[in-house]
Amino acid sequence: MKKILIIHGPNLNMLGKRERTVYGDVGLEEINKKAAKYGQALGYDVENFQSNSESDIIDAIHATPEIYAGVIINPGAFTHTSYAVRDAITAVNVPFVEVHLSNIYSREEFRHTSVTAPVCAGQICGFGPESYVLGIEALHRLLQNKKI
Ligand code: DQA
């Protein structure tokens, strides 16, 4: 079975507890479970990784080739700041889909820029935990070269 990796960046381990008016009540474990179930139905084994450390995220990205058919990444605040995460994505020949729970474009100005999205196949944001499921669907279509 093909594998997909979900990478969750900093503070996403706090989902369900942090800023619930923005991010909702659903915790990371439940998001991972739902994503795994959705991926499984499409024929993928979905694994997940969360870290608050930029260097661990970069190492996880470097380790993706030959293992994962594609990656869903929510880089958290590194989305707006990390050229290093961006360069890591560029360094591997694996398709990435960027996802965010919140609509980063309707929030503070500093969130309007994603330095990582331009090196991903695309970005999905604003659908809460569903963003991950939509990300898997998008990655699947990309991998299948499927169009509407
Ligand atoms: C986030 C949006 C980021 O701006 C923020 O720093 C996060 C979460 C989201 O999923 O909506 O940590 O990536």
Side-chain angles (χ1 to χ4, degrees):
M1 201 181 254
K2 283 188 180 172
K3 285 185 176 196
I4 288 175
L5 179 65
I6 303 179
I7 299 178
H8 304 281
N11 300 307
L12 293 168
N13 56 312
M14 296 295 285
L15 284 179
K17 298 184 196 115
R18 87 182 264 227
E19 296 183 81
R20 285 155 76 172
T21 50
V22 179
Y23 299 117
D25 302 329
V26 180
L28 199 58
E29 208 176 306
E30 199 175 328
I31 288 177
N32 285 333
K33 250 193 233 167
K34 284 200 173 141
K37 198 173 162 198
Y38 195 86
Q40 188 86 25
L42 293 174
Y44 301 96
D45 194 4
V46 182
E47 297 181 358
N48 59 79
F49 171 79
Q50 190 277 329
S51 178
N52 296 319
S53 145
E54 192 175 20
S55 88
D56 289 349
I57 290 168
I58 290 165
D59 288 343
I61 293 170
H62 290 172
T64 56
E66 319 299 336
I67 302 174
Y68 298 101
V71 178
I72 305 294
I73 187 164
N74 182 348
F78 292 147
T79 304
H80 319 297
T81 61
S82 181
Y83 298 122
V85 171
R86 177 191 165 116
D87 283 352
I89 295 170
T90 319
V92 294
N93 193 19
V94 175
F96 277 63
V97 173
E98 179 169 312
V99 303
H100 299 282
L101 295 133
S102 63
N103 181 349
I104 57 174
Y105 302 101
S106 67
R107 299 183 63 197
E108 303 95 318
E109 185 113 25
F110 75 89
R111 295 186 205 275
H112 298 182
T113 301
S114 169
V115 300
T116 43
V119 294
C120 292
Q123 183 199 61
I124 292 166
C125 74
F127 298 96
E130 290 298 308
S131 292
Y132 286 90
V133 162
L134 294 169
I136 290 177
E137 178 65 36
L139 189 57
H140 171 62
R141 284 171 180 247
L142 191 74
L143 295 170
Q144 303 279 300
N145 206 3
K146 216 162 130 178
K147 298 199 173 75
I148 291 170

PDB file of all heavy atoms in Angstrom, residues 10 12 18 23 74 76-77 80 100-102 104 107 111, ligand 1:
ATOM      1  N   PRO A  10       4.642  23.264  14.754  1.00  0.00           N
ATOM      2  CA  PRO A  10       4.613  23.695  16.148  1.00  0.00           C
ATOM      3  C   PRO A  10       3.221  24.090  16.646  1.00  0.00           C
ATOM      4  O   PRO A  10       2.430  24.663  15.907  1.00  0.00           O
ATOM      5  CB  PRO A  10       5.541  24.914  16.167  1.00  0.00           C
ATOM      6  CG  PRO A  10       5.638  25.365  14.760  1.00  0.00           C
ATOM      7  CD  PRO A  10       5.477  24.136  13.915  1.00  0.00           C
ATOM      8  N   LEU A  12       0.678  22.440  17.188  1.00  0.00           N
ATOM      9  CA  LEU A  12      -0.496  21.675  16.740  1.00  0.00           C
ATOM     10  C   LEU A  12      -0.781  20.501  17.674  1.00  0.00           C
ATOM     11  O   LEU A  12      -1.883  19.963  17.671  1.00  0.00           O
ATOM     12  CB  LEU A  12      -0.331  21.254  15.286  1.00  0.00           C
ATOM     13  CG  LEU A  12      -0.344  22.480  14.343  1.00  0.00           C
ATOM     14  CD1 LEU A  12       0.096  22.113  12.946  1.00  0.00           C
ATOM     15  CD2 LEU A  12      -1.703  23.147  14.308  1.00  0.00           C
ATOM     16  N   ARG A  18      -5.846  24.814  22.582  1.00  0.00           N
ATOM     17  CA  ARG A  18      -5.347  26.154  22.267  1.00  0.00           C
ATOM     18  C   ARG A  18      -6.369  26.944  21.447  1.00  0.00           C
ATOM     19  O   ARG A  18      -6.998  26.387  20.538  1.00  0.00           O
ATOM     20  CB  ARG A  18      -4.018  26.040  21.508  1.00  0.00           C
ATOM     21  CG  ARG A  18      -4.131  25.889  20.002  1.00  0.00           C
ATOM     22  CD  ARG A  18      -2.787  25.744  19.302  1.00  0.00           C
ATOM     23  NE  ARG A  18      -2.260  26.975  18.772  1.00  0.00           N
ATOM     24  CZ  ARG A  18      -1.763  27.078  17.523  1.00  0.00           C
ATOM     25  NH1 ARG A  18      -1.738  26.061  16.694  1.00  0.00           N
ATOM     26  NH2 ARG A  18      -1.266  28.220  17.125  1.00  0.00           N
ATOM     27  N   TYR A  23      -9.354  27.476  16.416  1.00  0.00           N
ATOM     28  CA  TYR A  23      -8.989  26.145  15.906  1.00  0.00           C
ATOM     29  C   TYR A  23      -9.975  25.042  16.265  1.00  0.00           C
ATOM     30  O   TYR A  23      -9.839  23.919  15.774  1.00  0.00           O
ATOM     31  CB  TYR A  23      -7.588  25.766  16.407  1.00  0.00           C
ATOM     32  CG  TYR A  23      -6.516  26.732  15.937  1.00  0.00           C
ATOM     33  CD1 TYR A  23      -5.789  27.501  16.842  1.00  0.00           C
ATOM     34  CD2 TYR A  23      -6.240  26.882  14.584  1.00  0.00           C
ATOM     35  CE1 TYR A  23      -4.816  28.395  16.418  1.00  0.00           C
ATOM     36  CE2 TYR A  23      -5.280  27.769  14.137  1.00  0.00           C
ATOM     37  CZ  TYR A  23      -4.566  28.525  15.065  1.00  0.00           C
ATOM     38  OH  TYR A  23      -3.608  29.400  14.620  1.00  0.00           O
ATOM     39  N   ASN A  74       1.144  20.779   7.604  1.00  0.00           N
ATOM     40  CA  ASN A  74       0.674  22.011   8.235  1.00  0.00           C
ATOM     41  C   ASN A  74       1.873  22.541   9.010  1.00  0.00           C
ATOM     42  O   ASN A  74       2.159  22.079  10.116  1.00  0.00           O
ATOM     43  CB  ASN A  74      -0.501  21.752   9.175  1.00  0.00           C
ATOM     44  CG  ASN A  74      -1.016  23.054   9.799  1.00  0.00           C
ATOM     45  OD1 ASN A  74      -0.358  24.092   9.706  1.00  0.00           O
ATOM     46  ND2 ASN A  74      -2.172  22.995  10.432  1.00  0.00           N
ATOM     47  N   GLY A  76       2.309  25.096  10.654  1.00  0.00           N
ATOM     48  CA  GLY A  76       2.026  26.009  11.768  1.00  0.00           C
ATOM     49  C   GLY A  76       2.636  27.365  11.466  1.00  0.00           C
ATOM     50  O   GLY A  76       2.640  27.823  10.319  1.00  0.00           O
ATOM     51  N   ALA A  77       3.191  28.006  12.477  1.00  0.00           N
ATOM     52  CA  ALA A  77       3.755  29.349  12.278  1.00  0.00           C
ATOM     53  C   ALA A  77       5.006  29.344  11.395  1.00  0.00           C
ATOM     54  O   ALA A  77       5.377  30.385  10.843  1.00  0.00           O
ATOM     55  CB  ALA A  77       4.055  29.989  13.632  1.00  0.00           C
ATOM     56  N   HIS A  80       4.949  30.953   7.896  1.00  0.00           N
ATOM     57  CA  HIS A  80       5.152  32.377   7.614  1.00  0.00           C
ATOM     58  C   HIS A  80       6.604  32.815   7.745  1.00  0.00           C
ATOM     59  O   HIS A  80       6.940  33.926   7.374  1.00  0.00           O
ATOM     60  CB  HIS A  80       4.282  33.204   8.581  1.00  0.00           C
ATOM     61  CG  HIS A  80       2.925  32.614   8.792  1.00  0.00           C
ATOM     62  ND1 HIS A  80       2.013  32.483   7.773  1.00  0.00           N
ATOM     63  CD2 HIS A  80       2.326  32.079   9.898  1.00  0.00           C
ATOM     64  CE1 HIS A  80       0.908  31.911   8.244  1.00  0.00           C
ATOM     65  NE2 HIS A  80       1.079  31.657   9.528  1.00  0.00           N
ATOM     66  N   HIS A 100      -4.072  24.184   6.334  1.00  0.00           N
ATOM     67  CA  HIS A 100      -4.256  24.948   7.572  1.00  0.00           C
ATOM     68  C   HIS A 100      -5.691  24.793   8.029  1.00  0.00           C
ATOM     69  O   HIS A 100      -6.613  24.784   7.195  1.00  0.00           O
ATOM     70  CB  HIS A 100      -3.969  26.435   7.345  1.00  0.00           C
ATOM     71  CG  HIS A 100      -2.565  26.687   6.909  1.00  0.00           C
ATOM     72  ND1 HIS A 100      -1.515  26.684   7.785  1.00  0.00           N
ATOM     73  CD2 HIS A 100      -2.052  26.892   5.679  1.00  0.00           C
ATOM     74  CE1 HIS A 100      -0.397  26.899   7.112  1.00  0.00           C
ATOM     75  NE2 HIS A 100      -0.687  27.024   5.835  1.00  0.00           N
ATOM     76  N   LEU A 101      -5.863  24.715   9.324  1.00  0.00           N
ATOM     77  CA  LEU A 101      -7.217  24.659   9.875  1.00  0.00           C
ATOM     78  C   LEU A 101      -7.937  25.979   9.633  1.00  0.00           C
ATOM     79  O   LEU A 101      -9.096  26.008   9.216  1.00  0.00           O
ATOM     80  CB  LEU A 101      -7.145  24.389  11.378  1.00  0.00           C
ATOM     81  CG  LEU A 101      -6.566  23.023  11.747  1.00  0.00           C
ATOM     82  CD1 LEU A 101      -5.533  23.150  12.838  1.00  0.00           C
ATOM     83  CD2 LEU A 101      -7.661  22.080  12.160  1.00  0.00           C
ATOM     84  N   SER A 102      -7.253  27.068   9.947  1.00  0.00           N
ATOM     85  CA  SER A 102      -7.873  28.388   9.833  1.00  0.00           C
ATOM     86  C   SER A 102      -7.629  28.969   8.442  1.00  0.00           C
ATOM     87  O   SER A 102      -6.733  28.517   7.716  1.00  0.00           O
ATOM     88  CB  SER A 102      -7.284  29.328  10.891  1.00  0.00           C
ATOM     89  OG  SER A 102      -5.894  29.516  10.667  1.00  0.00           O
ATOM     90  N   ILE A 104      -5.921  31.467   6.800  1.00  0.00           N
ATOM     91  CA  ILE A 104      -4.811  32.363   7.164  1.00  0.00           C
ATOM     92  C   ILE A 104      -4.950  33.737   6.498  1.00  0.00           C
ATOM     93  O   ILE A 104      -4.391  34.719   6.981  1.00  0.00           O
ATOM     94  CB  ILE A 104      -3.418  31.738   6.863  1.00  0.00           C
ATOM     95  CG1 ILE A 104      -3.275  31.335   5.394  1.00  0.00           C
ATOM     96  CG2 ILE A 104      -3.165  30.544   7.778  1.00  0.00           C
ATOM     97  CD1 ILE A 104      -1.864  30.841   5.023  1.00  0.00           C
ATOM     98  N   ARG A 107      -6.954  36.391   8.649  1.00  0.00           N
ATOM     99  CA  ARG A 107      -6.431  36.633   9.993  1.00  0.00           C
ATOM    100  C   ARG A 107      -5.405  37.774   9.966  1.00  0.00           C
ATOM    101  O   ARG A 107      -5.424  38.603   9.075  1.00  0.00           O
ATOM    102  CB  ARG A 107      -5.859  35.324  10.551  1.00  0.00           C
ATOM    103  CG  ARG A 107      -6.937  34.234  10.660  1.00  0.00           C
ATOM    104  CD  ARG A 107      -6.398  32.967  11.269  1.00  0.00           C
ATOM    105  NE  ARG A 107      -5.940  33.199  12.638  1.00  0.00           N
ATOM    106  CZ  ARG A 107      -5.135  32.364  13.299  1.00  0.00           C
ATOM    107  NH1 ARG A 107      -4.709  31.253  12.710  1.00  0.00           N
ATOM    108  NH2 ARG A 107      -4.762  32.628  14.526  1.00  0.00           N
ATOM    109  N   ARG A 111       0.068  36.494   8.806  1.00  0.00           N
ATOM    110  CA  ARG A 111      -0.298  35.134   8.386  1.00  0.00           C
ATOM    111  C   ARG A 111      -0.664  35.065   6.901  1.00  0.00           C
ATOM    112  O   ARG A 111      -0.902  33.995   6.359  1.00  0.00           O
ATOM    113  CB  ARG A 111      -1.482  34.620   9.210  1.00  0.00           C
ATOM    114  CG  ARG A 111      -1.158  34.442  10.673  1.00  0.00           C
ATOM    115  CD  ARG A 111      -2.296  33.791  11.423  1.00  0.00           C
ATOM    116  NE  ARG A 111      -2.266  34.117  12.833  1.00  0.00           N
ATOM    117  CZ  ARG A 111      -1.544  33.475  13.749  1.00  0.00           C
ATOM    118  NH1 ARG A 111      -0.809  32.436  13.410  1.00  0.00           N
ATOM    119  NH2 ARG A 111      -1.554  33.850  15.014  1.00  0.00           N
TER     120      ARG A 111
HETATM  121  C1  DQA B   1      -2.190  27.259  11.316  1.00  0.00           C
HETATM  122  C2  DQA B   1      -2.149  28.749  10.965  1.00  0.00           C
HETATM  123  C3  DQA B   1      -0.839  29.384  11.416  1.00  0.00           C
HETATM  124  O1  DQA B   1      -0.846  30.776  11.139  1.00  0.00           O
HETATM  125  C4  DQA B   1      -0.639  29.204  12.901  1.00  0.00           C
HETATM  126  O2  DQA B   1       0.617  29.712  13.290  1.00  0.00           O
HETATM  127  C5  DQA B   1      -0.828  27.801  13.358  1.00  0.00           C
HETATM  128  C6  DQA B   1      -1.929  27.030  12.785  1.00  0.00           C
HETATM  129  C7  DQA B   1      -3.545  26.635  10.964  1.00  0.00           C
HETATM  130  O3  DQA B   1      -3.608  25.407  10.838  1.00  0.00           O
HETATM  131  O4  DQA B   1      -4.545  27.336  10.831  1.00  0.00           O
HETATM  132  O5  DQA B   1      -0.143  27.316  14.256  1.00  0.00           O
HETATM  133  O6  DQA B   1      -1.191  26.596  10.561  1.00  0.00           O
END
